[in-house]
């Protein structure tokens, strides 16, 4: 895995590493952010509040729309209550990676 990319290719698709800001002014995928440890995350802002999974649902909806996959293809793997999250996206990894902003 290249640490400068916010995703890892898996047999079933992609695993995305996210940095989510809830309660933002709009739903937007801002792009890649390089972390101090050399890793990368995809920076996402959502309008939804972090209450009872609303922000997580908004993240899934935003990613599914941006990548052209059904919501069922996007699964929260870890970080349900954290700003840093890991999601798995089922599909053709090359096609999904090409649809990510900035790639």
């Amino acid at each position: 895995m290249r640490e400068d990319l916010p995703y890892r290719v898996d047999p079933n698709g992609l695993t995305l590493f996210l940095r989510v800001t809830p309660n933002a002014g709009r739903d937007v995928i801002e792009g890649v952010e390089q972390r101090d440890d050399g890793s990368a995350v995809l920076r996402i802002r959502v309008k939804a509040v972090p209450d009872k999974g609303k922000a997580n649902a908004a993240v899934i909806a935003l990613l599914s729309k941006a990548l052209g996959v059904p919501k069922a293809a996007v699964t929260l793997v870890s970080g349900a209550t954290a700003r840093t999250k890991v999601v798995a996206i089922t599909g053709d990894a090359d096609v999904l990676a090409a649809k990510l902003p900035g790639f």
Side-chain angles (χ1 to χ4, degrees):
M1 178 183 115
R2 287 180 43 192
E3 288 192 7
D4 60 331
L5 295 176
Y7 64 86
R8 178 181 64 227
V9 176
D10 292 325
N12 295 326
L14 291 180
T15 299
L16 277 177
F17 305 97
L18 309 175
R19 171 78 163 102
V20 177
T21 302
N23 209 23
R26 62 189 177 123
D27 292 345
V28 64
I29 299 174
E30 291 187 322
V32 178
E33 175 183 299
Q34 297 297 323
R35 309 294 290 198
D36 290 338
D37 64 1
S39 65
V41 293
L42 189 63
R43 184 108 173 140
I44 295 181
R45 293 181 184 273
V46 293
K47 293 186 287 187
V49 295
D51 182 45
K52 298 179 183 168
K54 292 177 185 174
N56 291 335
V59 167
I60 289 170
L62 179 63
L63 286 172
S64 69
K65 183 177 179 181
L67 298 175
V69 297
K71 290 179 189 174
V74 183
T75 306
L76 182 65
V77 175
S78 68
T81 60
R83 286 182 182 246
T84 55
K85 301 180 184 302
V86 178
V87 296
I89 303 171
T90 305
D92 185 314
D94 293 330
V95 172
L96 294 171
K99 291 182 181 180
L100 288 172
F103 293 95

